[in-house]
Amino acid sequence: MNWSVFEGLLSGVNKYSTAFGRIWLSLVFIFRVLIYVVAAERVWSDDHKDFDCNTRQPGCSNVCFDHFFPVSHIRLWALQLILVTCPSLLVIMHVAYREAREQKHRVAEGENYRQLYLNPGKKRGGLWWTYLLSLIFKATVDVVFLYIFYRFYKNFTLPRVVKCEIPPCPNIVDCFISRPTEKNIFTLFMVITACLCILLCLVEAFYLRRQGKGNAKKARVVGCRPQKFDGFLHLQLKQLLLIGHC
């Protein structure tokens, strides 16, 4: 992996995020991505190899493992992390689109051009909606994956022993899961961090919505001021014309 590219993406996301967004980014990178890369992959590396059933019937252990572990924790977490981090990249792409459009406009109009965006990274207009929708999407992805984990693995925990009677098993056999306690600890840790990320996304969305309302009020106040000033000028002009006639 090219860490310089990854560092550039992280700095870009951090630059255009709010304070809550920076906390979310730190939580995802430190407590989810790094834990996944450094520790979780090693814990689940031997889950199929060390899944033992007390029978020598060919194919029995494979069928039972597929029944109790339809999707690996590691693959689900990898997919979840990819989908959760992608919306932040869309915000960077939107800002890059604004900057490129501003550059083209400056080249076309010359030096005395009128700026399209006072600050391309300012969360207003389309960028505000992009950022808000990215927060909703990230929270929705985490909620959906938590539900998937809950459906596949009841209460987010793994038992030490599972009983299997799926053909070609000759009868009810006991199958033993490798490192169940360690896997349960990592699973609960990932669930808690996902819940914290959901909470941060909702808080940030609420904060962004209030910020958007405040910006709209300021824009309305600024838009009304020129009209009052023009009315004042119009009144002064009338008075001058009356004085001239006198």
Side-chain angles (χ1 to χ4, degrees):
M1 180 177 182
N2 193 335
W3 287 101
S4 61
V5 175
F6 189 65
E7 183 183 0
L9 291 175
L10 284 178
S11 62
V13 173
N14 190 59
K15 181 180 178 181
Y16 303 115
S17 299
T18 64
F20 296 105
R22 295 186 184 98
I23 297 172
W24 178 91
L25 183 63
S26 302
L27 188 64
V28 169
F29 181 68
I30 297 173
F31 293 103
R32 296 179 74 175
V33 175
L34 286 183
I35 292 296
Y36 170 83
V37 173
V38 174
E41 279 189 316
R42 296 181 182 180
V43 174
W44 267 269
S45 62
D46 58 352
D47 54 348
H48 190 193
K49 183 179 66 176
D50 293 339
F51 184 78
D52 294 328
C53 298
N54 58 356
T55 180
R56 293 187 177 277
Q57 178 69 28
C60 179
S61 61
N62 290 334
V63 171
C64 293
F65 182 85
D66 182 69
H67 176 73
F68 290 106
F69 299 94
V71 183
S72 171
H73 284 68
I74 292 298
R75 290 175 180 83
L76 271 178
W77 279 331
L79 183 61
Q80 181 181 6
L81 290 173
I82 290 171
L83 292 178
V84 160
T85 52
C86 279
S88 299
L89 301 180
L90 290 178
V91 176
I92 299 176
M93 291 171 64
H94 197 148
V95 175
Y97 164 76
R98 280 185 164 191
E99 291 175 346
R101 188 181 174 194
E102 185 75 28
Q103 180 70 20
K104 288 181 180 179
H105 181 69
R106 182 169 58 196
V107 172
E109 298 294 330
E111 291 299 326
N112 299 322
Y113 75 103
R114 183 180 180 182
Q115 287 184 321
L116 297 175
Y117 309 102
L118 294 177
N119 183 2
K122 189 76 172 178
K123 286 180 281 294
R124 287 185 179 178
L127 184 60
W128 186 89
W129 282 106
T130 300
Y131 198 94
L132 181 63
L133 291 176
S134 72
L135 294 176
I136 296 172
F137 183 82
K138 289 187 289 190
T140 303
V141 167
D142 275 333
V143 169
V144 169
F145 273 87
L146 286 177
Y147 176 75
I148 292 172
F149 272 107
Y150 181 80
R151 292 290 297 175
F152 282 169
Y153 310 105
K154 204 68 174 177
N155 299 324
F156 306 108
T157 56
L158 297 174
R160 288 181 171 82
V161 183
V162 292
K163 296 186 178 295
C164 181
E165 53 180 343
I166 303 172
C169 297
N171 48 31
I172 298 177
V173 298
D174 294 330
C175 296
F176 303 91
I177 298 173
S178 171
R179 305 179 188 177
T181 303
E182 190 175 11
K183 289 177 180 178
N184 286 333
I185 291 172
F186 273 102
T187 302
L188 291 176
F189 180 82
M190 296 295 273
V191 167
I192 290 171
T193 52
C195 291
L196 289 176
C197 287
I198 293 170
L199 180 62
L200 282 172
C201 285
L202 295 178
V203 171
E204 189 177 8
F206 179 73
Y207 168 77
L208 198 68
R209 190 165 177 269
R210 288 193 62 183
Q211 192 181 45
K213 286 184 177 180
N215 290 334
K217 287 181 181 179
K218 288 180 182 178
R220 283 198 296 269
V221 170
V222 172
C224 289
R225 283 176 184 172
Q227 294 178 3
K228 293 180 180 179
F229 187 67
D230 289 344
F232 176 75
L233 287 177
H234 186 64
L235 181 62
Q236 293 294 321
L237 186 60
K238 274 188 174 182
Q239 290 177 355
L240 289 172
L241 289 173
L242 287 172
I243 292 172
H245 285 301
C246 294

PDB file of all heavy atoms in Angstrom, residues 9-20:
ATOM      1  N   LEU A   9      -4.889  11.558   1.218  1.00  0.00           N
ATOM      2  CA  LEU A   9      -6.343  11.456   1.302  1.00  0.00           C
ATOM      3  C   LEU A   9      -6.838  11.818   2.691  1.00  0.00           C
ATOM      4  O   LEU A   9      -7.850  12.525   2.849  1.00  0.00           O
ATOM      5  CB  LEU A   9      -6.783  10.038   0.928  1.00  0.00           C
ATOM      6  CG  LEU A   9      -6.605   9.627  -0.529  1.00  0.00           C
ATOM      7  CD1 LEU A   9      -6.955   8.165  -0.720  1.00  0.00           C
ATOM      8  CD2 LEU A   9      -7.454  10.494  -1.447  1.00  0.00           C
ATOM      9  N   LEU A  10      -6.140  11.323   3.723  1.00  0.00           N
ATOM     10  CA  LEU A  10      -6.540  11.620   5.097  1.00  0.00           C
ATOM     11  C   LEU A  10      -6.444  13.113   5.390  1.00  0.00           C
ATOM     12  O   LEU A  10      -7.336  13.691   6.027  1.00  0.00           O
ATOM     13  CB  LEU A  10      -5.667  10.842   6.086  1.00  0.00           C
ATOM     14  CG  LEU A  10      -5.969   9.352   6.247  1.00  0.00           C
ATOM     15  CD1 LEU A  10      -4.979   8.724   7.211  1.00  0.00           C
ATOM     16  CD2 LEU A  10      -7.387   9.132   6.743  1.00  0.00           C
ATOM     17  N   SER A  11      -5.365  13.754   4.932  1.00  0.00           N
ATOM     18  CA  SER A  11      -5.221  15.188   5.158  1.00  0.00           C
ATOM     19  C   SER A  11      -6.298  15.977   4.429  1.00  0.00           C
ATOM     20  O   SER A  11      -6.806  16.981   4.945  1.00  0.00           O
ATOM     21  CB  SER A  11      -3.836  15.658   4.715  1.00  0.00           C
ATOM     22  OG  SER A  11      -3.659  15.446   3.315  1.00  0.00           O
ATOM     23  N   GLY A  12      -6.695  15.511   3.227  1.00  0.00           N
ATOM     24  CA  GLY A  12      -7.765  16.181   2.494  1.00  0.00           C
ATOM     25  C   GLY A  12      -9.100  16.058   3.194  1.00  0.00           C
ATOM     26  O   GLY A  12      -9.855  17.034   3.314  1.00  0.00           O
ATOM     27  N   VAL A  13      -9.419  14.856   3.685  1.00  0.00           N
ATOM     28  CA  VAL A  13     -10.665  14.647   4.420  1.00  0.00           C
ATOM     29  C   VAL A  13     -10.672  15.485   5.688  1.00  0.00           C
ATOM     30  O   VAL A  13     -11.681  16.107   6.058  1.00  0.00           O
ATOM     31  CB  VAL A  13     -10.843  13.152   4.758  1.00  0.00           C
ATOM     32  CG1 VAL A  13     -12.050  12.948   5.661  1.00  0.00           C
ATOM     33  CG2 VAL A  13     -10.996  12.340   3.479  1.00  0.00           C
ATOM     34  N   ASN A  14      -9.545  15.506   6.398  1.00  0.00           N
ATOM     35  CA  ASN A  14      -9.442  16.258   7.645  1.00  0.00           C
ATOM     36  C   ASN A  14      -9.591  17.762   7.397  1.00  0.00           C
ATOM     37  O   ASN A  14     -10.173  18.488   8.208  1.00  0.00           O
ATOM     38  CB  ASN A  14      -8.095  15.963   8.299  1.00  0.00           C
ATOM     39  CG  ASN A  14      -7.998  16.508   9.702  1.00  0.00           C
ATOM     40  OD1 ASN A  14      -8.779  16.158  10.567  1.00  0.00           O
ATOM     41  ND2 ASN A  14      -7.032  17.374   9.927  1.00  0.00           N
ATOM     42  N   LYS A  15      -9.091  18.245   6.260  1.00  0.00           N
ATOM     43  CA  LYS A  15      -9.124  19.678   5.948  1.00  0.00           C
ATOM     44  C   LYS A  15     -10.541  20.182   5.755  1.00  0.00           C
ATOM     45  O   LYS A  15     -10.871  21.305   6.181  1.00  0.00           O
ATOM     46  CB  LYS A  15      -8.293  19.931   4.690  1.00  0.00           C
ATOM     47  CG  LYS A  15      -8.223  21.391   4.265  1.00  0.00           C
ATOM     48  CD  LYS A  15      -7.373  21.537   3.015  1.00  0.00           C
ATOM     49  CE  LYS A  15      -7.318  22.979   2.541  1.00  0.00           C
ATOM     50  NZ  LYS A  15      -6.508  23.124   1.301  1.00  0.00           N
ATOM     51  N   TYR A  16     -11.387  19.398   5.117  1.00  0.00           N
ATOM     52  CA  TYR A  16     -12.733  19.854   4.783  1.00  0.00           C
ATOM     53  C   TYR A  16     -13.793  19.319   5.741  1.00  0.00           C
ATOM     54  O   TYR A  16     -14.984  19.377   5.438  1.00  0.00           O
ATOM     55  CB  TYR A  16     -13.079  19.449   3.347  1.00  0.00           C
ATOM     56  CG  TYR A  16     -12.104  19.971   2.331  1.00  0.00           C
ATOM     57  CD1 TYR A  16     -11.309  19.121   1.574  1.00  0.00           C
ATOM     58  CD2 TYR A  16     -11.945  21.338   2.149  1.00  0.00           C
ATOM     59  CE1 TYR A  16     -10.398  19.607   0.644  1.00  0.00           C
ATOM     60  CE2 TYR A  16     -11.031  21.838   1.222  1.00  0.00           C
ATOM     61  CZ  TYR A  16     -10.268  20.966   0.482  1.00  0.00           C
ATOM     62  OH  TYR A  16      -9.365  21.467  -0.431  1.00  0.00           O
ATOM     63  N   SER A  17     -13.383  18.797   6.891  1.00  0.00           N
ATOM     64  CA  SER A  17     -14.322  18.260   7.869  1.00  0.00           C
ATOM     65  C   SER A  17     -14.541  19.249   9.004  1.00  0.00           C
ATOM     66  O   SER A  17     -13.705  20.121   9.261  1.00  0.00           O
ATOM     67  CB  SER A  17     -13.814  16.931   8.443  1.00  0.00           C
ATOM     68  OG  SER A  17     -13.680  15.955   7.435  1.00  0.00           O
ATOM     69  N   THR A  18     -15.655  19.084   9.699  1.00  0.00           N
ATOM     70  CA  THR A  18     -15.905  19.854  10.912  1.00  0.00           C
ATOM     71  C   THR A  18     -15.136  19.206  12.068  1.00  0.00           C
ATOM     72  O   THR A  18     -14.448  18.200  11.892  1.00  0.00           O
ATOM     73  CB  THR A  18     -17.407  19.874  11.230  1.00  0.00           C
ATOM     74  OG1 THR A  18     -17.842  18.530  11.502  1.00  0.00           O
ATOM     75  CG2 THR A  18     -18.209  20.422  10.061  1.00  0.00           C
ATOM     76  N   ALA A  19     -15.279  19.768  13.267  1.00  0.00           N
ATOM     77  CA  ALA A  19     -14.596  19.204  14.444  1.00  0.00           C
ATOM     78  C   ALA A  19     -15.088  17.790  14.721  1.00  0.00           C
ATOM     79  O   ALA A  19     -14.294  16.892  15.037  1.00  0.00           O
ATOM     80  CB  ALA A  19     -14.837  20.098  15.654  1.00  0.00           C
ATOM     81  N   PHE A  20     -16.400  17.569  14.557  1.00  0.00           N
ATOM     82  CA  PHE A  20     -16.953  16.230  14.768  1.00  0.00           C
ATOM     83  C   PHE A  20     -16.444  15.271  13.689  1.00  0.00           C
ATOM     84  O   PHE A  20     -16.198  14.092  13.968  1.00  0.00           O
ATOM     85  CB  PHE A  20     -18.482  16.279  14.753  1.00  0.00           C
ATOM     86  CG  PHE A  20     -19.075  17.090  15.860  1.00  0.00           C
ATOM     87  CD1 PHE A  20     -19.597  18.346  15.609  1.00  0.00           C
ATOM     88  CD2 PHE A  20     -19.099  16.616  17.158  1.00  0.00           C
ATOM     89  CE1 PHE A  20     -20.143  19.109  16.625  1.00  0.00           C
ATOM     90  CE2 PHE A  20     -19.648  17.364  18.188  1.00  0.00           C
ATOM     91  CZ  PHE A  20     -20.173  18.623  17.919  1.00  0.00           C
TER      92      PHE A  20
END
